[in-house]
Amino acid sequence: NAGVTQTPKFQVLKTGQSMTLQCAQDMNHNSMYWYRQDPGMGLRLIYYSASEGTTDKGEVPNGYNVSRLNKREFSLRLESAAPSQTSVYFCASSEARGDYGYTFGSGTRLTVV
Amino acid sequence: QQQVKQSPQSLIVQKGGISIINCAYENTAFDYFPWYQQFPGKGPALLIAIRPDVSEKKEGRFTISFNKSAKQFSLHIMDSQPGDSATYFCAASQGTYKYIFGTGTRLKVLA
């Protein structure tokens, strides 16, 4: 089925550990995004990639890095996890203008202890 | 100026009633206003969207009302059903690829 696939679905990390969240889309979309969702704070943009080969910071980029590996894949890396990064992470993709809206993945629930 | 303020935080409606969720923005450069619906354990999904050149858009039981002068827009769910129970997010974008999301409204429709 066409869509956005995120892995893993759940992860528990110890403070200071690193990990990479993977995202892939098969809709030939140009733009991809990483959001985090926290209770009462909605969805906040971490990083985005307007097109293959470009990445830019969003609202809350500190503590994260991203790689747009190719047109399909956009990964998010936590180099040294902190409890404040406990959240649900969503990857999304869209056409260049976004008229058709974002297509979101099903999320990764990350707990940092 | 980049914020989108959403209210109420939570809403309980009887089956068959009307659910109304409101959003306000400050940046007059925003030109696209979507609403997303999210069920527990799932990612948000696009529900309906509007541009500021129209004042209302209707798709089935869902209607967006847009007031450009007041910088407000709202989602109306007519004949609300228990299956509509979800979290709803408004958003706005400014000719770029990035949405600014509201904080969400948790809707519960009682059977």
Side-chain angles (χ1 to χ4, degrees), chain B residues 79-97:
Chain B
D79 187 25
S80 299
Q81 299 297 312
D84 297 330
S85 297
T87 300
Y88 293 81
F89 292 95
C90 63
S93 70
Q94 181 199 334
T96 65
Y97 316 103

Side-chain angles (χ1 to χ4, degrees), chain A residues 73-104:
Chain A
E73 299 173 286
F74 189 39
S75 63
L76 178 71
R77 183 163 178 83
L78 287 70
E79 291 290 352
S80 178
S84 61
Q85 294 178 304
T86 293
S87 187
V88 181
Y89 291 85
F90 287 100
C91 177
S93 68
S94 73
E95 289 294 338
R97 177 55 187 92
D99 279 18
Y100 301 101
Y102 288 7
T103 299
F104 281 89

